[in-house]
Amino acid sequence: NNKNNNNLPIEAILNMIRTFTRITPFIYETYNIAFIYTLFWSDSNGENSLGSRLVNVLLNLSFIPGFSIVSKHKELDSPELEPLSEGLEPSIVWNVMEKVENSKMNTYRLELLRCLLVCGSQTLYTQSEYSKVTRNEFLEKLIHPNTPHNITLCYSLINVIFTYDPIGWGIPYSSSVVGDSTLSVVNTSAQLLALLLDYNPIPLNKEKRQRECPDFSNNLNSIQEALSTLSEPSAFVTIFDGLSELLSTVYQSQNTWMPKSQTHVHCYQELLIIFLKLIEINQDFLKFIAIQSNIHDLLIPIFYLMFTSYENSSRTGLIYLSSFIIFYLTCENNISIQFNQKCQVSLPIKIQTKNIILTDLYISLLTDTIKNDSCSYYSRYALYENLFKILVNLSFNIESISMNSAEKLINLFEETTTFEFLFSSPSNKNIVFLLFDSLNKILRNQKFGDSPLIYFLIKKKNIFDRLLNLPEYFLDQAKIRQHLDVSKELDNQSKAYLIDQEISIEYEKIKKLRQKKSISTQDSNQNDNEENKENSTQNENLNNTTTTNSVSGKNNLIDQNWKPSIVWLEQWIKELPIETIQSIFTLLIPRVQKYLSKKKFDEQKIFEILSKVSISETFGPKIQLYKPHPSQLNNHWLTTFLWAVIYLENVSLAFFDNKTVQLFEFE
């Protein structure tokens, strides 16, 4: 800030920035919060505190002509180190479309961004139980409405990220032949922007808040406030198109005959967090996506990430994040309607995706996720709930459903009504209710393309009969086990005792089965880790475990504090919304039986019979969309996940100490 230092050489400035970037993590790692606050944010210093001056200097350096923005002069070695005025013009915002003669300016920008990122990394060294009440003063300063140039930095980060062209010349291996200095700036910009959008400031007392910023709303995150008021369609187009193009590199780089010939953007997890925050805080942006954008371009890379992650328990966090995004999107009816369009690309996954309807693709994803679940049903309940609520939101707008998807849905219903699933947690019964809700919505909005679902409903009617008669099933099993006459009538008390006894036996079997599965899974994971250590470098291993962090606990085999009983079983079975499906059985089964009594089995003819019967008029339309509700637990999980991503993406630069930061895997 000293005007006498305006002629400092660039290397001296960079060395000071790099030095602070290196020593700050050691301060966070070594000293306690009280010392750090006294060093950087002592109240006696006020705005002249070391931390406040440091943030102001870094933000000023971010907008100095010739150093971090394009100068009128051609020579970048003699920058104009006079900071710009408070009223920044839009042309000052960083823009990757500018023609920079060399990569020096990107180097300067990258050093500034890394320093800002490291300054805000105090959360990384704060224990989980204290993170909710400990203020990250550097981030508080960066998002404060009175901090100069922070909004301009936000717009600059958006420009750098969403106007970046990952394809470039379109020539294979062009990024390997000609170095792309902008890509590193894009990755670090995505990390910093995600961090600023994710941070929820811990409120000060009312007197201090009014003194610091009397005209600002209760939400002191000025970055969120600025982006929540963004309403220009051109800005929305830039963000949405840029995001779709960047995320598409994830599967396009794998969908080529020449390995690694196309640039792969590694900041896809940060991009998803930025997008999630934008649709949370800006309803205009969400409406723009619903009305004026083609959601296909965004959903395809998200689906690809989910398809390639469900078999790897270490990438569960990425599936959670993707499910949150799709959940928010399907709250808009216009977006749910767009799920009826066909997938236009062939993804490098196990199933054929081209020309498959997006709804069918999602049903395949849902069933495969549960079928290949190596974790317990109890530990992933929150994920299942999100995935099934998405299915419910989509159900009313499904125009057609394929034979394959219809069969998968009914098989999924059969899977979720097994004893192993129901007895893993008292909450798992809610999944059954969500599936009933989804089936009812599809049937109430009957289309000609829904005949396959009705066909499989009738074909597997026994699944629903078995679910409704579970108490009687357990009673019969108990009688057989104790060599009692099955036809003998018992009083209610004896029935309840026998059923509870049989349920307990089944429950103990499931516990032992889950323990065996857990042991075998742990052994296979250990073998995989040993092979990875032998065949991979340390950096590759870290990249493969980018999503290992999760707020959920580990080794949750089954809810140990709960046991199923006859009272619990009968209570929720009576509440099942099965009237619609039973009406279909009553209405259509006699017609199908009548046809089969006269003619040979013809599947196509049966479909015609099912499609001619209108059942939607009988029940009438009933629309009820599930909407996500923000919670402190979700916010805390997202912050933990984001810092895990940032930490692992910067290990090669050794920003953070491996001994201090401890990661844990979701199993």
Side-chain angles (χ1 to χ4, degrees):
N1 288 339
N2 191 343
K3 292 185 178 180
N4 296 328
N5 294 330
N6 283 350
N7 295 322
L8 282 174
I10 287 181
E11 282 303 318
I13 298 173
L14 290 177
N15 286 336
M16 287 187 283
I17 295 173
R18 290 165 180 162
T19 301
F20 199 83
T21 302
R22 300 299 302 156
I23 65 173
T24 301
F26 291 101
I27 296 175
Y28 288 151
E29 293 164 7
T30 308
Y31 299 100
N32 57 33
I33 296 175
F35 175 83
I36 294 171
Y37 185 84
T38 303
L39 176 64
F40 290 113
W41 308 100
S42 178
D43 288 337
S44 59
N45 293 330
E47 284 298 318
N48 293 322
S49 62
L50 177 61
S52 188
R53 283 184 292 161
L54 176 64
V55 171
N56 290 337
V57 167
L58 290 174
L59 290 177
N60 281 334
L61 285 172
S62 300
F63 302 102
I64 289 183
F67 182 74
S68 50
I69 59 176
V70 175
S71 173
K72 299 176 183 178
H73 307 291
K74 293 183 180 179
E75 294 294 332
L76 293 176
D77 293 330
S78 56
E80 304 168 6
L81 289 182
E82 193 69 38
L84 295 168
S85 61
E86 292 295 328
L88 292 177
E89 299 178 1
S91 59
I92 300 301
V93 175
W94 296 359
N95 192 336
V96 296
M97 303 304 291
E98 297 165 345
K99 294 182 179 179
V100 182
E101 283 78 0
N102 51 45
S103 61
K104 287 185 178 180
M105 186 172 294
N106 279 331
T107 302
Y108 306 153
R109 291 177 176 179
L110 185 60
E111 295 296 342
L112 289 168
L113 294 175
R114 285 175 176 171
C115 190
L116 287 170
L117 193 64
V118 168
C119 286
S121 65
Q122 182 182 346
T123 305
L124 197 58
Y125 306 95
T126 305
Q127 294 184 4
S128 178
E129 57 266 28
Y130 301 117
S131 61
K132 296 179 182 179
V133 295
T134 303
R135 286 168 59 89
N136 189 323
E137 296 295 342
F138 271 105
L139 292 182
E140 296 276 352
K141 176 66 177 176
L142 278 171
I143 65 173
H144 198 277
N146 291 339
T147 301
H149 308 335
N150 60 349
I151 303 300
T152 307
L153 177 65
C154 170
Y155 291 145
S156 298
L157 297 178
I158 289 176
N159 276 354
V160 168
I161 297 168
F162 297 114
T163 59
Y164 173 70
D165 181 13
I167 299 177
W169 297 344
I171 302 174
Y173 300 105
S174 60
S175 59
S176 301
V177 176
V178 180
D180 187 1
S181 60
T182 307
L183 183 58
S184 298
V185 179
V186 171
N187 290 331
T188 310
S189 297
Q191 294 173 15
L192 183 59
L193 181 59
L195 195 60
L196 295 177
L197 284 174
D198 173 70
Y199 185 72
N200 296 307
I202 298 175
L204 300 168
N205 58 71
K206 293 183 179 180
E207 292 78 10
K208 191 170 183 180
R209 179 184 296 175
Q210 289 295 325
R211 185 170 64 254
E212 288 193 356
C213 192
D215 299 327
F216 203 68
S217 62
N218 291 332
N219 181 10
L220 291 178
N221 190 331
S222 60
I223 306 299
Q224 292 182 2
E225 191 75 12
L227 295 185
S228 66
T229 58
L230 199 65
S231 59
E232 294 82 2
S234 58
F236 292 157
V237 170
T238 300
I239 293 174
F240 184 84
D241 291 349
L243 179 71
S244 301
E245 186 174 7
L246 290 173
L247 290 177
S248 65
T249 63
V250 177
Y251 69 85
Q252 288 176 356
S253 61
Q254 305 296 325
N255 205 13
T256 175
W257 291 103
M258 295 178 287
K260 299 182 180 180
S261 62
Q262 185 172 332
T263 301
H264 175 198
V265 176
H266 293 282
C267 60
Y268 56 88
Q269 296 178 104
E270 296 92 318
L271 292 173
L272 291 176
I273 293 175
I274 293 171
F275 179 68
L276 176 61
K277 286 298 177 180
L278 286 175
I279 60 179
E280 278 183 356
I281 65 178
N282 194 321
Q283 290 300 310
D284 291 337
F285 183 45
L286 186 58
K287 292 178 181 178
F288 169 83
I289 296 173
I291 298 174
Q292 301 184 38
S293 297
N294 185 3
I295 199 65
H296 170 278
D297 298 336
L298 181 64
L299 286 175
I300 294 304
I302 295 178
F303 281 165
Y304 172 75
L305 290 172
M306 297 178 76
F307 267 111
T308 55
S309 300
Y310 65 73
E311 290 183 340
N312 187 350
S313 61
S314 66
R315 292 171 65 86
T316 302
L318 180 57
I319 303 180
Y320 269 95
L321 177 60
S322 301
S323 69
F324 285 142
I325 292 174
I326 300 176
F327 193 8
Y328 268 97
L329 292 175
T330 54
C331 291
E332 290 290 329
N333 193 54
N334 289 333
I335 294 180
S336 295
I337 293 174
Q338 292 190 53
F339 272 74
N340 289 301
Q341 60 181 306
K342 293 183 178 180
C343 178
Q344 317 231 337
V345 297
S346 182
L347 295 176
I349 56 178
K350 295 179 181 179
I351 64 173
Q352 176 63 35
T353 59
K354 195 167 186 179
N355 294 326
I356 291 181
I357 295 174
L358 293 181
T359 304
D360 292 333
L361 195 59
Y362 178 75
I363 292 174
S364 296
L365 172 64
L366 175 61
T367 53
D368 290 349
T369 301
I370 294 180
K371 182 180 178 181
N372 294 276
D373 185 9
S374 59
C375 304
S376 69
Y377 294 128
Y378 171 60
S379 62
R380 281 192 176 186
Y381 170 75
L383 173 61
Y384 290 162
E385 187 179 35
N386 272 357
L387 295 175
F388 279 100
K389 284 182 177 179
I390 292 169
L391 180 63
V392 174
N393 287 348
L394 294 174
S395 296
F396 195 81
N397 292 303
I398 292 178
E399 294 181 357
S400 64
I401 186 168
S402 66
M403 285 286 291
N404 187 30
S405 295
E407 186 176 14
K408 285 184 175 182
L409 266 184
I410 302 303
N411 290 339
L412 185 60
F413 187 90
E414 185 175 13
E415 174 74 18
T416 56
T417 54
T418 59
F419 300 145
E420 184 180 0
F421 186 87
L422 292 175
F423 291 173
S424 293
S425 169
S427 301
N428 280 359
K429 63 179 175 58
N430 298 333
I431 302 299
V432 179
F433 280 85
L434 289 172
L435 252 177
F436 263 112
D437 196 8
S438 178
L439 294 174
N440 289 338
K441 280 184 168 59
I442 297 175
L443 297 172
R444 288 174 184 273
N445 189 38
Q446 186 191 17
K447 306 282 186 181
F448 289 106
D450 295 339
S451 300
L453 179 61
I454 301 176
Y455 171 77
F456 280 105
L457 278 174
I458 297 175
K459 185 177 181 180
K460 296 198 174 184
K461 177 178 177 292
N462 63 305
I463 299 174
F464 300 90
D465 294 337
R466 180 175 61 87
L467 178 62
L468 293 178
N469 297 316
L470 274 183
E472 289 77 9
Y473 167 81
F474 283 118
L475 180 60
D476 292 341
Q477 291 296 112
K479 287 181 179 180
I480 294 173
R481 188 183 301 277
Q482 299 188 18
H483 306 289
L484 299 175
D485 186 1
V486 177
S487 61
K488 183 180 178 180
E489 289 294 330
L490 300 174
D491 59 87
N492 293 334
Q493 186 175 359
S494 299
K495 285 182 180 180
Y497 174 77
L498 289 175
I499 293 174
D500 275 335
Q501 193 176 37
E502 190 65 26
I503 289 176
S504 298
I505 293 173
E506 193 69 39
Y507 178 71
E508 292 301 324
K509 288 181 181 178
I510 293 170
K511 284 178 64 176
K512 292 179 181 179
L513 179 63
R514 300 302 298 177
Q515 289 171 354
K516 289 181 181 179
K517 285 185 178 181
S518 175
I519 293 172
S520 62
T521 301
Q522 289 175 2
D523 292 341
S524 63
N525 287 340
Q526 288 177 359
N527 294 333
D528 291 341
N529 289 337
E530 291 176 0
E531 292 177 1
N532 288 336
K533 288 180 181 179
E534 294 176 359
N535 301 326
S536 304
T537 64
Q538 181 182 11
N539 188 38
E540 289 173 344
N541 283 335
L542 289 170
N543 288 335
N544 288 334
T545 57
T546 300
T547 59
T548 56
N549 284 266
S550 175
V551 172
S552 300
K554 56 188 295 189
N555 296 333
N556 284 320
L557 300 177
I558 202 166
D559 191 345
Q560 302 288 350
N561 299 321
W562 167 85
K563 285 187 177 181
S565 66
I566 179 60
V567 176
W568 169 81
L569 194 64
E570 288 181 338
Q571 183 180 7
W572 64 265
I573 286 180
K574 290 179 182 178
E575 298 174 356
L576 288 174
I578 199 171
E579 294 82 6
T580 302
I581 295 176
Q582 284 182 328
S583 299
I584 289 176
F585 293 154
T586 304
L587 184 64
L588 296 180
I589 287 180
R591 301 193 182 195
V592 175
Q593 290 176 341
K594 183 179 179 181
Y595 170 80
L596 293 176
S597 64
K598 297 180 180 180
K599 299 181 181 180
K600 293 183 180 180
F601 178 78
D602 187 341
E603 199 173 67
Q604 197 62 37
K605 288 290 184 180
I606 293 177
F607 284 159
E608 292 180 7
I609 294 173
L610 298 179
S611 63
K612 289 179 181 179
V613 180
S614 177
I615 61 173
S616 59
E617 296 178 359
T618 306
F619 306 110
K622 184 179 179 182
I623 302 177
Q624 181 183 357
L625 296 177
Y626 288 97
K627 295 185 178 181
H629 300 287
S631 65
Q632 290 186 353
L633 181 61
N634 288 340
N635 292 336
H636 184 57
W637 175 87
L638 190 61
T639 301
T640 305
F641 176 78
L642 174 58
W643 274 114
V645 172
I646 294 174
Y647 171 80
L648 291 172
E649 289 292 335
N650 291 285
V651 166
S652 59
L653 299 174
F655 276 174
F656 313 111
D657 185 12
N658 292 342
K659 298 178 181 178
T660 303
V661 180
Q662 296 181 354
L663 302 181
F664 57 93
E665 288 191 11
F666 185 105
E667 296 184 353

